[in-house]
Amino acid sequence: APRGHLGTLAMDPAAREAQPGGRRSRFLDADGALQLSGAGLDVSALLAALSAEPVPTDAVRTLSLDGNRLEELPTELLRLLRLKELRALWLDGNLLRGLPPALGELRALERLHVAGNQLEAIPPELGKLFALRALSLSRNRLRKLPSELGGCVALESLWLSQNQLEVLPESIGELSSLRALWLDGNALTRLPESAGGWSSLERLELGGNTALAELPEGLGQCSALQSLGVKGCSSLASPPAEVAALGTQA
């Protein structure tokens, strides 16, 4: 379902879903998309709006909260909306400094977008999101990732651009479904030897990691790799023969 602005949705009766007893939620469209993007909401305003106009239980499939002023994602919000069937959560462009461990309970979640915030860490509980296919954490302040992230076995796209990562956990090599990985603009000094486990990887972006001096030989096992971005990796020597043999596009 397309993601829109709160005001647009509120003025469109056709986009509203009936609640039990004939009541309607202004914020929820017929596809289960709860649109609260770009409304300038802080936490108290968000909770007040949703408390005043309840959303049908387990009806939300997509929750769009990007472009607001949220400094935290309160556990109360997850309880209020009963997001057991949530498939996509958009939190880009807020002021978030952390994420609640309770996010790990959203077992149906397939897309989580938290780019452009102030995250310094993510909770290990995210590793319980076994259905997650896309995770966007670019443009934050991340210095490390929890080893539990390797539990997201369905993950296909992972955006980690423009953080402060120096190393990655070895467990990230367990993401065998990963097709695209963006690591550009970090402070990486090396990649994990477990990179050879990225058997489905087609695109790897490493540009701008000026301290990255070498690539692991295991990367040569990534036979699906088609594009390897290393622009601006000024310390990088020639890639291992195993990697060069892939004939990837730089």
Side-chain angles (χ1 to χ4, degrees), residues 153-175:
V153 293
L155 201 60
E156 297 177 358
S157 299
L158 177 57
W159 291 269
L160 292 166
S161 305
Q162 299 179 44
N163 279 284
Q164 300 170 25
L165 298 170
E166 296 182 4
V167 295
L168 301 176
E170 287 292 329
S171 63
I172 202 169
E174 299 171 13
L175 302 177

Side-chain angles (χ1 to χ4, degrees), residues 218-243:
L219 197 61
Q221 301 174 29
C222 301
S223 57
L225 192 61
Q226 300 174 14
S227 177
L228 176 61
V230 293
K231 184 177 181 180
C233 296
S234 53
S235 300
L236 188 64
S238 298
E242 293 85 355
V243 178

